[in-house]
Amino acid sequence: MRHRLMIFALAALTSSSAIAAEFYHEVDSDGSALILIFGEIQTGDDSKFRELSVRFPEALVGLDSPGGAIVPALEIGRQIRLRGYSTAVTSSSKCTSACALIWLAGTPRFLDPGGSIGFHASYKDQGGQLVETGVGNALVGHYLSQLSLSERAVVFATSASPYEVRWLNNSNRLSSGIEFSVADAQPVRAPRDLGKTTRVAPVAKAAPQPPPPVYAAPLPIPPPVRARARYTAASLRAELSAPQLAETVAAKMALPHSQTKIMAEHIDAMFANESYLERVAAEMNAAGSALSGKNAGAVAFEIAAQLAQKLIYAGLRRLPDADLQRFIAIMGTASLDANVAECGAIFYPSETKSAAQEFQVVGRQGDAALRQYLMIIRKAIFAEVERSPSIVALSPTQAQAGEAAAADEMLRIIDTLPADNQSAVAEAMADMDNANLRDKCAALTVVLTAASTTQGITGNWYRRRFIELSQE
């Protein structure tokens, strides 16, 4: 379990971060389970939790969530109370709003030093204004009475406005009327202002952050692991061999059913390559203490995403021209089919970011195109990590000739555009850094199309040059 973080890091190669809540579990030697709920609670998450909970007569439910939809959260809480599960918020985890209501259902409840539990009234968003909802508060009140909480506890859990959070900790446990256990005899080292109602900015629903490591320790409260284990290909392989892992990751891509199967096959093939796992392990080990602490998941995600791009474009230089031409042609069609937001997410991630959209847009070309695209990605990554075949390098003369031939093809393509678009595209191509996103995407479509359609040996040279420039 010490490498659980790596599952999410490797998933970054083929998926975007999840928006809805995620449910992870580990089973102890005595058959009891540790279930982690991470992320924003959304409609349908209660069904996911019910399907998981029927497998375990005993469980500790760990929580790290900004809250979310009230109705599924209350149903999850009822299932926890019905099954007699305990709940916990561990050190550095934060559980607020609807998540805190789930935590209340535990028997018993645990709050680790440094963990945060926050309550406020139920609300709805009306044009950017957070407004208390009477129906929501009534549902919460009924739920809290089902948990047999005292009137004092109900007031504590519901009295803060939607723009406030009322924090619970060891110092106000008695006055709140909410019983819980603390796993450490040391005082709670709470964040500043923890234990009182604090003002928070009226912002949109918080995006979930990558989950903390699942600690390998005796239940009920797993202590933090202080020593950072060294990653190896073998340890990663053991973690990634979990049943249905590839299918679970692929399902997050929001692809049609047939393409979800194609994506799962791709993920399985990635996880099965020894050289690739060794490279990932080396990158994670090089990160050192950056992979410890509260932001470890986000750091691992970024390392994995950057490693994927680096390996793909380095590896493409090792592949034959037929693979390069097909890869660029698929990307060219994707850029033509994508709207501006999708184009930005795929080709300019510093401006908009959603890795899953790349595969969604490519998938519109059909199952065969997606399968071929993923196959070329794998070939490129595996070629680079195995250093075979050799990189096909261009001489300066070849690079210049390829660029000249592609420039002629680009001018031909621009001439086919509507007159109103020609100047905007030409200006964007001349100064891509300062062009707006719409014009940059239109210019990129011209470049990609020219890269795939330029004929002859000079076309081969330009495709190599295009990949070199993309790598840089």
Side-chain angles (χ1 to χ4, degrees), residues 159-468:
S159 60
S161 79
Y163 290 110
E164 298 173 324
V165 176
R166 194 168 192 183
W167 300 102
L168 174 68
N169 63 26
N170 197 39
S171 65
N172 63 9
R173 174 168 48 180
L174 293 179
S175 62
S176 71
I178 299 174
E179 288 296 326
F180 62 89
S181 297
V182 179
D184 193 322
Q186 299 298 318
V188 174
R189 295 179 180 178
R192 185 171 57 184
D193 296 331
L194 195 65
K196 63 182 181 180
T197 300
T198 57
R199 297 292 298 179
V200 296
V203 297
K205 295 180 180 178
Q209 297 298 311
V214 178
Y215 305 121
L219 297 179
I221 293 294
V225 176
R226 301 296 181 186
R228 187 177 63 86
R230 186 168 182 80
Y231 301 114
T232 67
S235 63
L236 297 184
R237 192 186 316 106
E239 289 297 328
L240 297 170
S241 62
Q244 304 301 310
L245 175 60
E247 289 80 359
T248 300
V249 174
K252 298 175 185 178
M253 310 301 290
L255 296 167
H257 179 68
S258 61
Q259 294 182 359
T260 298
K261 292 183 178 179
I262 294 171
M263 182 62 67
E265 294 170 359
H266 166 71
I267 295 168
D268 275 331
M270 294 286 294
F271 290 169
N273 186 278
E274 185 80 6
S275 298
Y276 168 66
L277 293 182
E278 288 176 353
R279 183 63 179 274
V280 174
E283 288 290 342
M284 295 301 167
N285 288 325
S289 59
L291 288 182
S292 61
K294 189 173 183 179
N295 294 324
V299 173
F301 185 96
E302 291 299 327
I303 290 174
Q306 290 297 313
L307 177 61
Q309 289 296 104
K310 181 179 179 179
L311 293 176
I312 290 171
Y313 282 93
L316 283 170
R317 297 178 63 193
R318 299 177 182 273
L319 301 186
D321 183 68
D323 286 331
L324 298 191
Q325 189 168 20
R326 184 57 181 152
F327 177 83
I328 294 171
I330 292 173
M331 293 304 288
T333 303
S335 71
L336 186 63
D337 182 61
N339 58 41
V340 174
E342 291 170 333
C343 172
I346 297 170
F347 299 106
Y348 304 103
S350 63
E351 300 183 24
T352 54
K353 198 167 190 176
S354 179
Q357 286 186 320
E358 175 181 340
F359 303 108
Q360 294 168 2
V361 175
V362 170
R364 292 177 197 160
Q365 300 175 43
D367 292 2
L370 180 62
R371 190 184 298 277
Q372 192 165 30
Y373 183 68
L374 294 175
M375 179 189 68
I376 296 171
I377 286 177
R378 290 196 304 276
K379 287 178 66 175
I381 290 176
F382 297 163
E384 180 60 19
V385 297
E386 294 165 3
R387 302 292 182 178
S388 179
S390 299
I391 291 176
V392 180
L394 296 176
S395 68
T397 300
Q398 291 171 335
Q400 292 171 7
E403 290 177 0
D408 291 340
E409 183 70 0
M410 290 177 201
L411 290 174
R412 184 193 66 77
I413 296 171
I414 291 175
D415 285 341
T416 67
L417 300 176
D420 294 342
N421 295 349
Q422 291 182 12
S423 59
V425 170
E427 290 174 6
M429 293 178 69
D431 188 9
M432 291 288 272
D433 290 339
N434 295 315
N436 63 52
L437 184 56
R438 181 181 298 276
D439 290 343
K440 286 166 71 170
C441 289
L444 180 65
T445 298
V446 172
V447 173
L448 286 166
T449 303
S452 65
T453 58
T454 301
Q455 300 297 311
I457 294 175
T458 51
N460 297 348
W461 290 343
Y462 181 67
R463 281 183 279 280
R464 297 276 168 200
R465 182 61 177 152
F466 177 82
I467 295 301
E468 285 180 0

Side-chain angles (χ1 to χ4, degrees), residues 88-145:
V89 174
T90 58
S91 181
S92 298
S93 295
K94 182 177 288 186
C95 178
T96 57
S97 190
C99 174
L101 298 177
I102 294 175
W103 176 81
L104 286 172
T107 50
R109 314 175 192 100
F110 296 93
L111 176 58
D112 215 29
S116 304
I117 298 281
F119 298 89
H120 59 65
S122 176
Y123 69 88
K124 58 183 176 180
D125 190 331
Q126 290 186 342
Q129 296 294 316
L130 307 185
V131 180
E132 285 193 41
T133 165
V135 174
N137 284 331
L139 291 173
V140 171
H142 178 63
Y143 166 79
L144 296 177
S145 68

Side-chain angles (χ1 to χ4, degrees), residues 62-76:
L63 296 157
D64 190 351
S65 167
I70 285 290
V71 173
L74 300 186
E75 183 56 32
I76 290 173

